[in-house]
Amino acid sequence: MSTGSDHEDLKAVVEEVEISGNPNGTYAAIMSKHKVSAWGSGHLRLYLLCGVCFLNSTMSGFDSSLMGSINTLPNYTNYYGLPSNGTASTGIVFAIFSVGQMCAALFVWVADWQGRKRFIFIGTIGVIVGTCITATAKNLPTFIGGRFLLSFFATCACSASPLYLVEVAPAQYRGTLAGLYNTFYFIGSILATSSVYGAHKHLSHHGNLDWRLPLWLQMACPALVSIAILFFPESPRWLVAKDRHEEARAFLVKYHANGDSDHPIVKLEMQEMIESMRDDGVTQWKNFFDLRVLIKSPARRYRTMLNLTFAWFGQFSGNNVISYYLPYLIANVGIHDTDTKLLMNIIYALVGWIFSTAGTRFHDIIGRRKMLLGSCAGMIIALSITAGTAAGYVKTGSKASSSASIAFIYIFGAIFAWAWTSMQPIYPAEVMSNDMRAKGMGTYKLMGGAAGFLNTFVAPIALSHIGYWFYVFFVFWDLFEFAFMYFFFVETKGLTLEEMDDIFESKNPRKASTAVKKMKYTSFIGADGTKREEVMEVA
């Protein structure tokens, strides 16, 4: 801090601010002194933009619960000649969604080439086409082909949406605002399970309407997004990468500073984005398959490791087995009525939505690491009890064991949703640098699709052969996840995407991200009481 002759006639007022993670802490320090109203006009407009993007997340939740629900309907299984219990043929109908997801992951680079919003538009239009094919399919191969297309284009839209949200959200609300995206997974799930329940209740005697009508509804949210997205502004980081700096600055002024063009946060964010993009811009179609950007330095390898492990953990912690095969799991503990199983699917989705929505705000208060670790510990306990009570029911036929097993299936879902749902796929996007992010979302989708395929193809076979022992396997797997996250996962709370560069360049990124430092904030006040200058430095 300078205290020379320029400041001799000024009164210095010194304040100290504690910040976590970033060695410089510029963003956190500025926001501590120059707060931006969360309810200003620009922020309210930003919330509306994000709200439309949230609708894309309903696609995954809709499909997950839709297929789990219609698979219990006799009209559906009889029409395609599927067995009433889980086998390999059932699994491929589910697992083709993961295959489409992995194939689409190879094209996420288009979001860098053509822009985030255009790629979202392409994806939503493709979902509409895929829905038309599945809803009218006359045979199982056509139905599976339609599901592949639906999955492929849903992944396009659902890859670009988190990119957009992470890049447009202010750092102090990023966990909340971007995190709300994946909570709409449960909105889709609720819409799917409710539509199947209602259709089965009232249309089961009208041919195949009880399962074809819910299939048609799968295009409702994508259709709304495909119209609205055309009027969206582009991501400011994508604009900077394309040397459209004035448009990027206009976005920051309007949506981050509530129209205040002189707010210091506008200058800071522009400087950080330009500096970040100076050496490596966004991916072009010519260099997408050059993956060296993901591994060419220790910091980049660490980022990629977090991206891939989170993708696997998010799909392979016992959660997908329960959401896709909840009706079978309930049947395993003695409930066989179709309407009851559908109702319990709806309740499971409601529980997940409530807890995931509540959890989004806590990511910006408690932090990502603490929430993920706490949730993982809770999942281990819930799955252990579920396995024990399910074993008790199988061996004794005890209704008390059956009821306890079902209760802890729901408790597991609530614990997972509270911390994990809102961070998928936000955390994998956060930990990637600007020039890595699109390729990183491709690797995230590829790894997540592989984990999902293994889950959905193997799960019905495992459940039919080893029953509750499948829970026991995930107990030990989640113990491994807890240890891995404790030693390697970084904290991203409250940092801009560019400030994380300092974290990953440190010797131990995990320790650097959780370190607490003090910033000295010195204001120089003139004789007339007006503030003349502000200086920040590490205390």
Side-chain angles (χ1 to χ4, degrees), residues 192-204:
T193 48
S194 299
S195 64
V196 173
Y197 177 77
H200 178 70
K201 194 83 170 173
H202 302 288
L203 300 174
S204 58

Side-chain angles (χ1 to χ4, degrees), residues 62 94 107-108 119 124 180 190 202 260 279 308 310 420 422 441 453:
F62 198 103
F94 285 90
F107 296 89
V108 177
F119 197 48
T124 52
L180 279 169
I190 292 166
H202 302 288
D260 181 2
D279 297 323
L308 294 176
F310 193 93
W420 285 82
S422 56
M441 290 309 293
F453 180 86

Side-chain angles (χ1 to χ4, degrees), residues 57-78:
S57 185
T58 63
M59 290 187 278
S60 297
F62 198 103
D63 184 83
S64 174
S65 291
L66 174 68
M67 294 310 300
S69 295
I70 68 172
N71 215 46
T72 67
L73 304 182
N75 284 345
Y76 165 76
T77 54
N78 292 338

Side-chain angles (χ1 to χ4, degrees), residues 96-101 104 146-156:
I96 195 65
F97 201 86
S98 297
V99 175
Q101 179 180 343
R147 279 183 53 71
F148 173 84
L149 287 177
L150 196 154
S151 168
F152 183 94
F153 287 106
T155 300
C156 293

Side-chain angles (χ1 to χ4, degrees), residues 459-498:
I461 302 171
L463 286 169
S464 62
H465 284 82
I466 63 174
Y468 60 83
W469 285 104
F470 205 37
Y471 297 122
V472 176
F473 164 78
F474 280 109
V475 170
F476 286 98
W477 176 260
D478 288 351
L479 280 168
F480 165 75
E481 286 187 4
F482 182 91
F484 189 95
M485 289 189 295
Y486 179 82
F487 287 107
F488 296 107
F489 273 36
V490 302
E491 181 56 71
T492 62
K493 182 188 77 169
L495 302 175
T496 66
L497 299 176
E498 291 74 24

Side-chain angles (χ1 to χ4, degrees), residues 79-138:
Y79 186 86
Y80 288 125
L82 295 170
S84 58
N85 60 338
T87 64
S89 58
T90 305
I92 194 62
V93 175
F94 285 90
I96 195 65
F97 201 86
S98 297
V99 175
Q101 179 180 343
M102 289 186 285
C103 291
L106 300 176
F107 296 89
V108 177
W109 58 272
V110 176
D112 269 355
W113 178 31
Q114 292 295 313
R116 283 38 170 155
K117 72 173 190 176
R118 187 173 294 180
F119 197 48
I120 292 173
F121 176 76
I122 293 170
T124 52
I125 293 298
V127 169
I128 293 170
V129 174
T131 299
C132 293
I133 293 173
T134 56
T136 58
K138 300 295 184 183

